[in-house]
Amino acid sequence: MKRGMVLTLTLVLMAAMAVTTANAQQYVHTDTLTGHTSGSGGIAFMDNGTLISGGYDDTLRAWDVTTGTQRWVKDVRDPVRAVALPSHDPDFIAYGGSNNFNIRMRYSSDSDWRGEVEGHTKTVISLAFKPNSYLLASGSADNTIRIWDVEDRDNLRHVRTLRGNTQQVSSVAWSPDGRTLASASLDGTVRLWNPNNGINFAVLRGHTAEVYCVAWSPDGRILASGSRDKTVRLWNPDTHSTLRVLRGHTGSVFTLAFHPNGQTLASGANDPTIRLWNPNTGAHKATLRGSFLVAFSPNGQILVGTRPGGNDIHLYRLLTVDVTGNGKVNVNDLVEVAKNYGKTVGAGANRKADVNNDGKVDVDDILAVIEAVDAAAGAPALTQRDIKPGSLQASDVHRWIRDAKAANADPAGIAALERLLAALTRVEAPPEKTVLLANYPNPFNPETWIPYQLSEAAEVTVTIHSSDGKLVRTLELGQMPAGAYSDKERAAYWDGRNAQGEPVASGVYFYTLTAGDFSATRKMVIRK
């Protein structure tokens, strides 16, 4: 079983699971790449099978995304913040660091040194190659954009510097035809530049806070930008007008990526989620939880997500999850996978039940279908009565839980399976109101449980502060259905440690539950 399979569900605990008419194909988390030790920075695809990542641990790493394994690692002696590869020469890697403000280049095939250019006076935040060219644009915390010609390793040269931003340039992106360079800045603007003469010929205003990212659609007809104001704006680059504003993120939008076919836009925010949109209509397609730096593979079959400062890189694969072939994804697809559970393709298994195409039907396929069900927003609740008698049994879910634990699956996935089991074994009315309850035990040492109840489904977060108001720990519980979360299997759990994993000192602490528009705070005591 592939490790780290993420399961972020909206299962109605008392009633059952969500029913949807989700798309027959969904991006499903299948692998977690581990290796960086101090956080991952820039990411870029070399080809459909190879991903390059830069790390705050002073490394460049190459990953085989078909197997989820690391191919090589190179110590570059500087925290890597940005990575870029020319579209016509993917062996050539350019990267920028946090301590050394230069831009360095090397070949990936043999790690041969290519060269280095200098000029920026602060951290290089973003890098982008002009399509089919060795012209490289760099955006920096020194408020400038620089363009470099790096084709001749013996004559690496600075072409020009673009000035006009009053704060950090957080993102740069070339139009597909290479005639325009777009930039995003913490000064709240999106700017369009003529890279041939350095003229800033348009300033796009509309965001109400810092702008962190820009991206062009493959046909060049849409320019997207993301901001701390929690929105994605789509612009007409010819008229410089807003086409539409995409809302739904609850955190700052840090990265954007268009699918190669232009029919999907991925936005990553520090909620932390990746939201998938139809850029032509603005319709929300799906939400993937846990990551917010994004990149599509050249063929669009893999979407990569990670977090700044986070060590893990998550791979989401485009899988066919319509097992029954009826054009929608719902409980019937889960039942069909259950029927084939434990079988191998070629030995009696329905080939479609092998959702991830690894030759066997196992818990990975179960999780893939459930995650696809969860990805469709606004689905009505499916009650236990809607599950045909004999089609899905609690014993099935017991077995999935056992297998998931044996394979060291992600604890969140195991917890979600346990919630599904609860949905199959009891039905109860949702609470009348959302309430934060007293933690237990209290006082405690070293761990405690924080119970609560939800009158309706909500995104739930628990924050813990010390008595002087300093943030100690954030517990992101994700989207949770209405229900009572009171026992140890369902309540929020705190191990008495801070965000760095260190045990906190004795004393009074305050915990706050945020669920949609609801917020409440209570006191607890650690006694050692």
Side-chain angles (χ1 to χ4, degrees):
M1 172 182 174
K2 295 175 182 176
R3 302 303 173 88
M5 173 72 81
V6 171
L7 191 59
T8 52
L9 305 172
T10 310
L11 290 174
V12 178
L13 300 183
M14 312 68 52
M17 48 180 290
V19 65
T20 90
T21 55
N23 295 331
Q25 286 189 312
Q26 295 284 344
Y27 282 97
V28 176
H29 182 275
T30 60
D31 295 276
T32 298
L33 309 181
T34 60
H36 286 298
T37 58
S38 297
S40 54
I43 52 177
F45 273 95
M46 178 180 296
D47 52 42
N48 290 318
T50 306
L51 176 74
I52 303 297
S53 67
Y56 297 163
D57 57 1
D58 298 5
T59 66
L60 281 174
R61 296 172 188 263
W63 308 90
D64 184 337
V65 295
T66 60
T67 63
T69 57
Q70 183 174 280
R71 287 181 170 169
W72 52 257
V73 57
K74 179 66 179 179
D75 183 1
V76 296
R77 304 185 180 222
D78 194 26
V80 179
R81 288 290 301 270
V83 174
L85 287 70
S87 57
H88 66 302
D89 185 3
D91 260 354
F92 180 5
I93 304 171
Y95 56 97
S98 299
N99 297 332
N100 183 317
F101 307 142
N102 299 346
I103 300 166
R104 299 172 176 180
M105 292 152 280
R106 63 177 67 248
Y107 289 104
S108 66
S109 56
D110 55 10
S111 295
D112 184 33
W113 180 252
R114 168 87 182 197
E116 183 174 4
V117 293
E118 60 181 82
H120 283 298
T121 59
K122 292 185 179 180
T123 300
V124 175
I125 305 298
S126 178
L127 294 170
F129 277 99
K130 179 180 177 179
N132 301 308
S133 167
Y134 286 105
L135 283 181
L136 176 67
S138 57
S140 169
D142 64 12
N143 304 351
T144 69
I145 300 167
R146 289 177 177 255
I147 298 177
W148 316 83
D149 185 341
V150 297
E151 181 173 10
D152 184 353
R153 66 187 301 168
D154 296 320
N155 185 31
L156 303 173
R157 62 188 184 90
H158 171 244
V159 177
R160 62 181 46 86
T161 299
L162 312 183
R163 303 180 189 276
N165 289 110
T166 59
Q167 293 188 49
Q168 169 181 302
V169 178
S170 46
S171 179
V172 290
W174 295 83
S175 62
D177 61 10
R179 296 179 180 178
T180 303
L181 185 68
S183 67
S185 172
L186 300 192
D187 63 15
T189 66
V190 175
R191 295 173 184 256
L192 301 180
W193 309 80
N194 182 331
N196 297 317
N197 57 24
I199 293 176
N200 175 201
F201 64 85
V203 180
L204 311 184
R205 303 183 189 275
H207 285 296
T208 59
E210 295 94 329
V211 186
Y212 292 125
C213 51
V214 285
W216 292 86
S217 63
D219 61 8
R221 295 181 179 179
I222 299 175
L223 176 66
S225 59
S227 167
R228 190 172 69 85
D229 65 13
K230 306 176 185 178
T231 70
V232 176
R233 282 185 173 261
L234 304 183
W235 309 86
N236 182 324
D238 296 323
T239 64
H240 311 153
S241 59
T242 299
L243 294 171
R244 57 185 56 88
V245 180
L246 310 182
R247 293 183 170 87
H249 281 297
T250 59
S252 302
V253 180
F254 276 95
T255 53
L256 295 164
F258 277 91
H259 187 282
N261 67 13
Q263 299 305 302
T264 299
L265 171 66
S267 60
N270 62 356
D271 349 29
T273 66
I274 299 170
R275 293 176 74 90
L276 304 182
W277 313 85
N278 181 328
N280 302 306
T281 65
H284 172 245
K285 291 183 173 183
T287 298
L288 309 173
R289 297 178 176 86
S291 302
F292 62 96
L293 295 185
V294 294
F296 281 103
S297 62
N299 63 7
Q301 293 297 304
I302 296 177
L303 175 65
V304 172
T306 185
R307 301 191 197 187
N311 294 336
D312 296 342
I313 301 172
H314 303 293
L315 300 186
Y316 302 86
R317 300 180 192 275
L318 188 61
L319 302 180
T320 300
V321 290
D322 178 17
V323 180
T324 60
N326 63 356
K328 58 186 178 182
V329 181
N330 56 28
V331 68
N332 295 325
D333 299 285
L334 182 63
V335 170
E336 188 61 30
V337 176
K339 289 179 181 177
N340 291 269
Y341 196 83
K343 298 179 182 178
T344 58
V345 174
N350 177 349
R351 184 175 296 275
K352 288 187 175 181
D354 178 22
V355 175
N356 61 5
N357 298 310
D358 65 354
K360 59 184 180 296
V361 180
D362 56 18
V363 74
D364 281 344
D365 303 298
I366 291 288
L367 302 184
V369 174
I370 296 178
E371 186 173 1
V373 170
D374 179 57
L382 175 68
T383 68
Q384 195 175 36
R385 295 187 299 273
D386 296 314
I387 302 176
K388 295 179 180 179
S391 63
L392 187 62
Q393 301 293 331
S395 57
D396 296 326
V397 186
H398 272 297
R399 181 184 179 189
W400 302 338
I401 292 171
R402 184 187 68 235
D403 292 349
K405 289 181 177 179
N408 293 322
D410 191 286
I414 296 173
L417 288 174
E418 290 171 340
R419 293 195 293 270
L420 174 58
L421 178 61
L424 286 169
T425 54
R426 71 174 182 273
V427 177
E428 57 192 35
E432 293 184 358
K433 60 181 180 179
T434 298
V435 177
L436 174 61
L437 303 171
N439 68 299
Y440 62 92
N442 189 29
F444 67 95
N445 177 30
E447 59 187 1
T448 189
W449 285 261
I450 302 171
Y452 60 98
Q453 61 185 38
L454 302 177
S455 61
E456 58 184 22
E459 190 81 15
V460 178
T461 302
V462 175
T463 54
I464 299 167
H465 291 78
S466 58
S467 58
D468 60 1
K470 294 181 179 179
L471 179 64
V472 174
R473 185 76 174 271
T474 298
L475 308 176
E476 295 173 347
L477 307 184
Q479 182 77 14
M480 304 298 292
Y485 298 81
S486 56
D487 58 41
K488 289 186 177 181
E489 298 299 320
R490 305 169 73 189
Y493 169 75
W494 184 38
D495 59 4
R497 296 177 179 270
N498 61 20
Q500 289 72 46
E502 303 162 337
V504 300
S506 300
V508 176
Y509 293 81
F510 295 90
Y511 59 100
T512 300
L513 175 79
T514 302
D517 295 331
F518 175 86
S519 181
T521 300
R522 299 186 70 126
K523 182 173 67 174
M524 59 183 169
V525 177
I526 298 180
R527 183 176 297 163
K528 297 184 177 180

